[in-house]
Amino acid sequence: MTGLYERESRSVSTLAHLRFFPQAVTGGKGSMLRGDDGRDLLDFAASWGAASLGHGHPALADAVNRALTDQAGASYLSTANEPSVLLAEKLLSLVPERAAGRVWFGHSGSDANETVARAVVAATGRPRIISFKGAYHGGTVGSVAISGHPAQGGIEKASGLSLVPYPDSYASGSPEAASKAALAHIEELFATSVSPQDVAAFFIEPIQSDGGMLVPPPGYFREIERLCRKHGILLVCDEVKVGLARTGRLHAFEHSGIEPDIVVFGKGLGGGLPISAVVGPEAIMNHASTFSFQTLHGNPVCASAGLAVLETIERENLVANAAKVGDTMLSTLRALQEKHPLIGHVRGHGLAIGVELVSDREARTPAIEQTALTVYRAFQLGLVIYYVGLNSNVLEFTPPLTMSEDEALRGIAILDQALSDVEAGKVDPQLLERFAGW
Ligand SMILES: Cc1ncc(COP(=O)(O)O)c(/C=N/[C@@H]2CCCCNC2=O)c1O
């Protein structure tokens, strides 16, 4: 345990802790973080996907410095400011026509999804919302209320919420079986307990990330879109973690061939600064004033960061980089399945990848302790990677969009060693005593 980590334990609250190992950093550049012990750490997490441009990207630093040096206030509540207007105009140009109405800015994916959950009910007069078991839409009261992640069990859900299963092709044995089962559940819901005309919105993740990096079966979300259109249900796509180039397309929903009514952005939009955005139809987004606001929403510094991220994604062709480097990672990880019995399934698109670890391939038994030991050992060897999943057994790869192929292969080599060490019983489970994970 390093000095900084010990000092943190005597000063910073644990309320926000989601800790897997004693990571303590003092700086970073590109795909690298600098540990307080001076170690170079290769970052496959990018702070849960927020550091989309890596660390210390000059375009982001320059944009933030300019916005702070000539500061157009610190909010958009009671004044327009140029950076937030420019960013709104840019986002409107990037989403499907049906969503290109107005843009709301927030600080986080949580406050964005919470705002959508309230606005769709208020604007449509429909009291119900559908979302998925395993979904993580946020950590605030109103976003937890429409989430389905087991880590939030016991926290109150929205009274009109229906949670339905997300199709899991690995658990179901095939994409076809997964899609059929998940769609049958929705048909049953509409036939027995929920009138579709009462449903304001269906919240989806185009890849369910905290639920285990679940990639939806081909055609599944086209069918969900068809049902939504048929019943006048707004399709809300939460692109907070896997959006904005991460999957090798600008929007992750493009892989499913759908056009959401409302698109939610966060995390990587700010490149490490707190900004989120909701882009949706004018009828929803202009339903009222003084409906959802916090003082620093739409501030010009974070809006400038968002503009710099979108411009850098275009200028450095990061959509193509995510696709290329991600394909290399997927094929390299799949090759490792031959060597490591722990690897049950490798899945993802671009730089949104999940590796599910199992202790029994036939039964697909979640390898919960081995997953925790693997990420701890990887950290000891110089790689930062976290885990997700309903059973906390899915390694999550969300590296900076700027990561190079060489860095990707170097990180996978470290992971290879970590898996070998865990499989050989060389990693002491007592290391996990102070790290509760999810
Ligand atoms: C699809 C999706 N939508 C919304 C959110 C909430 O974003 P914020 O944590 O910025 O409020 C998230 C946040 N995800 C969590 C953040 C907490 C740590 C666990 N890992 C995540 O990526 C998300 O993945």
Side-chain angles (χ1 to χ4, degrees), residues 4-340:
L4 181 62
Y5 205 85
E6 281 301 338
R7 280 171 51 206
E8 187 212 35
S9 70
R10 295 192 296 274
S11 55
V12 176
S13 156
T14 61
L15 289 176
H17 278 193
L18 176 55
R19 298 289 170 94
F20 306 120
F21 38 76
Q23 180 181 345
V25 295
T26 57
K29 195 71 181 162
S31 302
M32 304 307 293
L33 289 167
R34 187 175 61 253
D36 74 321
D37 54 1
R39 289 195 307 147
D40 285 333
L41 300 167
L42 178 52
D43 189 6
F44 268 13
S47 299
W48 296 105
S52 50
L53 300 185
H55 309 98
H57 195 293
L60 188 56
D62 293 346
V64 167
N65 184 53
R66 281 197 308 275
L68 266 174
T69 308
D70 182 19
Q71 193 172 353
S75 169
Y76 79 154
L77 268 49
S78 304
T79 170
N81 67 67
E82 188 175 36
S84 64
V85 172
L86 289 171
L87 180 57
E89 290 170 343
K90 181 68 178 173
L91 288 169
L92 287 170
S93 75
L94 297 177
V95 300
E97 182 61 34
R98 62 186 312 117
R102 295 291 187 277
V103 183
W104 174 92
F105 289 118
H107 295 317
S108 66
S110 300
D111 67 7
N113 282 315
E114 173 161 342
T115 298
V116 176
R118 292 200 296 118
V120 294
V121 170
T124 66
R126 294 184 175 200
R128 301 195 66 85
I129 282 175
I130 300 174
S131 64
F132 285 105
K133 291 173 183 170
Y136 189 104
H137 294 299
T140 55
V141 171
S143 53
V144 172
I146 55 155
S147 295
H149 197 278
Q152 301 173 324
I155 305 175
E156 192 173 354
K157 296 300 174 190
S159 57
L161 179 69
S162 299
L163 291 172
V164 297
Y166 198 96
D168 183 337
S169 300
Y170 177 55
S172 301
S174 73
E176 296 74 18
S179 190
K180 186 178 178 193
L183 290 170
H185 191 98
I186 294 170
E187 282 155 19
E188 171 77 10
L189 184 77
F190 285 166
T192 58
S193 57
V194 170
S195 166
Q197 277 63 41
D198 291 341
V199 180
F202 196 143
F203 278 72
I204 71 168
E205 288 176 72
I207 292 179
Q208 190 181 77
S209 53
D210 286 334
M213 268 304 173
L214 301 180
V215 177
Y220 173 75
F221 276 125
R222 289 294 294 269
E223 185 56 21
I224 295 297
E225 181 186 50
R226 184 189 67 78
L227 284 171
C228 287
R229 299 285 186 269
K230 176 181 175 185
H231 297 300
I233 298 170
L234 291 164
L235 187 58
V236 180
C237 190
D238 182 342
E239 293 265 327
V240 168
K241 176 128 82 163
V242 296
L244 294 181
R246 178 159 294 288
T247 65
R249 307 292 289 270
L250 180 61
H251 304 299
F253 61 73
E254 294 176 49
H255 293 278
S256 290
I258 60 173
E259 291 199 349
D261 298 289
I262 295 174
V263 188
V264 184
F265 299 104
K267 285 182 187 268
L269 175 62
L273 274 81
I275 183 168
S276 56
V278 176
V279 192
E282 190 178 349
I284 306 296
M285 305 304 289
N286 276 0
H287 166 67
S289 61
T290 66
F291 185 84
S292 176
F293 53 97
Q294 298 171 51
T295 304
L296 285 161
H297 279 173
N299 71 77
V301 177
C302 289
S304 298
L307 273 168
V309 166
L310 297 178
E311 289 162 359
T312 306
I313 286 172
E314 285 179 5
R315 188 177 60 254
E316 297 185 7
N317 209 358
L318 297 183
V319 171
N321 190 63
K324 177 169 74 77
V325 176
D327 285 348
T328 299
M329 294 182 78
L330 281 165
S331 56
T332 308
L333 289 163
R334 285 177 174 136
L336 280 184
Q337 279 188 282
E338 298 303 313
K339 176 178 177 183
H340 295 292

